[in-house]
Amino acid sequence: MKKFINDPDSFVDEVIEGILAVHSDALRAASDDSRAIVRADAPIANQVGIVTGGGSGHLPVFLGYVGQGLCTGVAIGNVFSSPSSDQVLAATRESNGGAGVLFVYGNYGGDVLNFDDAAELAEEEGITVRTVLVADDVTSAPADRRDDRRGVAGLAFAYKVAGAAAAQGATLDEVAEAVEHLNANMGSMGVGLSPTILPAAGEPTFTLDEGEMEIGIGIHGERGVRRGPLDPADSIADELFATISDDLGLSSGDSIAVLVNGLGATPLEELYILARRVSQRCNAGGIILERTYVGEYATSLEMAGASLTVVRLDDRIRHLLAQPASSPFVGAML
Amino acid sequence: MKKFINDPDSFVDEVIEGILAVHSDALRAASDDSRAIVRADAPIANQVGIVTGGGSGHLPVFLGYVGQGLCTGVAIGNVFSSPSSDQVLAATRESNGGAGVLFVYGNYGGDVLNFDDAAELAEEEGITVRTVLVADDVTSAPADRRDDRRGVAGLAFAYKVAGAAAAQGATLDEVAEAVEHLNANMGSMGVGLSPTILPAAGEPTFTLDEGEMEIGIGIHGERGVRRGPLDPADSIADELFATISDDLGLSSGDSIAVLVNGLGATPLEELYILARRVSQRCNAGGIILERTYVGEYATSLEMAGASLTVVRLDDRIRHLLAQPASSPFVGAML
Amino acid sequence: MNGAQLGALLDTACERLASTGDELRELDAEVGDGDLGITVTKGAAAVRTRLATLDADVLPNDVVLAAADAFGTANPSTFASLVSSGVKAGAKATELTDMSTAEVVAFGRAVAETIARRGKSAVGDKTILDALVPSLDAAEFSADGGALEAATAAAAAGIEETAAVAAKKGRAAWAGDRGIGVPDAGATAYLRFLEALR
Amino acid sequence: MNGAQLGALLDTACERLASTGDELRELDAEVGDGDLGITVTKGAAAVRTRLATLDADVLPNDVVLAAADAFGTANPSTFASLVSSGVKAGAKATELTDMSTAEVVAFGRAVAETIARRGKSAVGDKTILDALVPSLDAAEFSADGGALEAATAAAAAGIEETAAVAAKKGRAAWAGDRGIGVPDAGATAYLRFLEALR
Ligand SMILES: Nc1ncnc2c1ncn2[C@@H]1O[C@H](COP(=O)(O)OP(=O)(O)O)[C@@H](O)[C@H]1O
Ligand SMILES: Nc1ncnc2c1ncn2[C@@H]1O[C@H](COP(=O)(O)OP(=O)(O)O)[C@@H](O)[C@H]1O
Ligand SMILES: [Mg+2]
Ligand SMILES: [Mg+2]
Ligand SMILES: [Mg+2]
Ligand SMILES: [Mg+2]
């Protein structure tokens, strides 16, 4: 295990300690175990609170998106495992500024169970909660079962849209509707080139032969749609872009934003090789590529690989994506 | 080779194409081969131009530090190889706003040869050029031969200091002196957990057994001071911090800034585990840790590993580090 | 069986479960994310720690509630959450007193019902239910003293069937037909638990 | 030897150098960054491309200048920069006409001088100079027609000595005593070039 680590069992808690030590001006713990974290200035009075969370190992997802114009609070589970409902509840309490709380997180079974429990508990305490699941991975279920899809790097845009709407004073229902609108116009797809190792397990989550890739992989190493020999970068970019493009029904004249996301070990250089090709495809297809985000927005520990997220832009999404946002992790990136 | 790549021979040019496609608002080519790049608004009249450069494979070094309050221009070589003097000259010409140009780059033989040649050619064209080499890797030469040391992640601070001084209207000599002052107060040290593969070579630059680390490694995989079994994260952080601390002669009451830099494949989570320990050491030793930077500031393709950079702060450095800076890559990070 | 005896039995079973980590990780990783090994080993360890805090005269039902709570919070993944809330609901519905076969089967039915309701799943979806439900049927109609053996055999048979189909629920469902051939990880965890009880 | 013959000789030699990439990469990687293989293979390929553009009546000196320029810009690493500028300076100093041993040795001395001056290095620092300088000495005092063979043998002997010491210049110097035992990569590249000329 080529990891900087002390004890696998304290991995997540030490990461959080480090983050709180470095970013004490921006973040604070909202529970004794520090597994619930909120903006230092939370709750924001009369603003809808945005709470997210999920398993660890995906930085800057989830904790990195707590900030101004983004999420208000987060609950952090063990590596690749959901936080508990108590942890979600703790984040919810301290994120509630009186205008209700929106849960925005990726569609994973364990998270849904625990967030739903937390929502019930919060409602019992008089906090109004709504939930919008992010389900952007187009290969994880066909279009007629969109809601079954898992949530991947599109989370970044969901946080931006939710946080921007909340900062502008939208109501809980309006913020939820904005994220749902984004969801309907967003698709992602990933490709993995090497596995990750969970610190507590010490073994790779899957194996790929030298020179193999897994097309359609999830951010926990979930199987994709196809495993095969590693294609040239341009073919891979073409396959990801065409698949998402079909799913969204993009056509000439449409405006989009694109995120080329690194899964962890892949150098930034290679992400730009993919971005280059996407830009070429858009030019060739008459699609207006208004903005390209390149970098690590949702990772899977040290997995080599990348994902592509495409958002179809309309005035509403464009406006929300253009709002200022800042967090210790992704300030200038979003 | 687990890489998103088309043709190894066009790797660097495709990366640059991708970067220019995505960041055309901020960057523009300053040579026909696009190996010289400058700020879109370069040259800045009556401001000292800052030109850097070196081999590819280290993003955000070097191109990522071209921006407001940072470098004006850059020359980009092949992976791990110097740019040519012509490329440096091209960047220099378009970075010269009339107040002269400072070359700030890492101390590597090939770069020194080519930048020196470029400096001569530039002087022949009437451009005043000065050079300050960054040489922060404490393990690469003893303190009495500081100037022989190689330049690593400390480059990030050198760019910030140079760019901030230039933006404030300092003269060429003053900017150079500011970077020299930083150099005298900065030290770095790295540790590698896995090798990189040069696209054009297709083979790892070195091999480490499972569970081994190379302490003191350079950002091209240059050998360090010791190879041995992978220590716990805290011991590694202690060793890096103690070595640099001794080199700088830090003592209780000193103020420092620290950069925990990822070399490429190491997850952000693990960098925070190292940052946590450094913060603990500072607290224990009475050293005032004013700011900690955590992230990928100088990489070595997909190498797993990290480096620590420590800067002793005085009012002068503190003031320059506090100035605004922005680039498509490191805006909020610096 | 009284509460102390049940606690001792569970303690031994959880001790034995420690060795299942690798198998469950690998099964879960085939189609999912590979964390089930951690869920079960951490969960089992947490159960043992919690059992050690119980009084000697504790009631069987409270032993079960305490174990469920510990298992559910150690690593609250899908499996841990479903099993924990299922067991808690089962205990509340049955009020376990003597752990007779009839009582345990009734308890198990309530567990399965809760899992199915919360997981929106049914037998045939390739989940823990495919081992749990047949094991309860087998135990109910087993010969005296043979309930555990019958349940174990039925669970194993149910798991074999899961290998033949694609998952319809949970993370494994995303793998679709590519998951065919791999037995369900959660169902296997349940089987290993039954085996550890012997 | 006229210019066309020299061009043909260099072309063959550069073709042969293509196979040295792995060896040079590995040697450079032992203590440095592993790019010398790329420098030499890309450089040799660039030389061949450039040679193909020359006129049939080109002068030997211009063949050498063209080759140096191509080698220096293909992958301008330390080695490429030093060798290219050294060869250019040597050609300017000697004005090669017939490629006699005396002429080539004088040229080589000028190359070595320039490398030493620009690289601030000397024989014994574990660089290309440790092969280049002895090879010139050997060629100068060799029997008629035996210059290349003598130079090759002397270069090989010089390289063996480099293996015994720590580098004092270049990237390899950072490795300090850990570089002992590894022959110098740049010196080896020069030896492979001499061998390819035969
Ligand atoms: N909706 C569901 N209903 C019943 N059981 C489920 C459901 N989803 C998952 N499971 C069970 O949980 C197991 C996976 O557990 P776990 O690894 O904790 O999930 P995850 O990693 O997705 O959080 C599956 O093998 C299956 O037996
Ligand atoms: N200062 C120097 N003087 C003479 N030769 C040198 C010097 N520095 C390096 N070399 C030669 O160059 C070789 C390394 O070349 P190269 O791999 O291109 O360097 P780098 O990767 O550091 O740019 C060394 O093996 C040595 O022979
Ligand atoms: Mg999981
Ligand atoms: Mg090099
Ligand atoms: Mg799992
Ligand atoms: Mg080299």
Side-chain angles (χ1 to χ4, degrees), chain A residues 1-11 79 195-205 301-303, chain B residues 191-195 208-214 228-233 236 265-267 270 273 304-305, chain C residues 22 25 38:
Chain A
M1 226 183 352
K2 304 228 165 243
K3 289 188 193 287
F4 295 114
I5 187 174
N6 293 302
D7 175 358
D9 283 336
S10 56
F11 178 79
V79 176
T196 53
I197 298 180
L198 305 197
E203 295 288 333
T205 47
L301 290 172
E302 72 282 54
M303 192 187 294
Chain B
V191 51
L193 306 189
S194 79
L208 274 177
D209 286 340
E210 180 61 32
E212 267 193 337
M213 65 175 179
E214 174 87 30
L230 180 54
D231 286 329
I236 294 172
T266 290
E270 296 173 33
I273 288 188
Chain C
D22 279 351
R25 173 180 58 71
I38 296 166

Side-chain angles (χ1 to χ4, degrees), chain A residues 1-2 23 193 210 272, chain B residues 1-2 23 193 210 272:
Chain A
M1 226 183 352
K2 304 228 165 243
H23 304 298
L193 306 188
E210 179 62 32
Y272 275 100
Chain B
M1 227 183 350
K2 305 230 164 241
H23 304 298
L193 306 189
E210 180 61 32
Y272 275 100

Side-chain angles (χ1 to χ4, degrees), chain A residues 49-114:
Chain A
I50 312 294
V51 169
T52 188
S56 290
H58 305 296
L59 279 179
V61 161
F62 296 88
L63 183 41
Y65 291 92
V66 175
Q68 318 245 331
L70 296 164
C71 299
T72 323
V74 65
I76 303 150
N78 289 332
V79 176
F80 292 5
S81 287
S82 173
S84 71
S85 52
D86 285 348
Q87 291 159 345
V88 178
L89 180 62
T92 306
R93 280 191 194 120
E94 306 259 331
S95 297
N96 177 36
V101 171
L102 183 68
F103 287 176
V104 181
Y105 59 95
N107 181 30
Y108 295 94
D111 296 316
V112 173
L113 292 168
N114 286 297

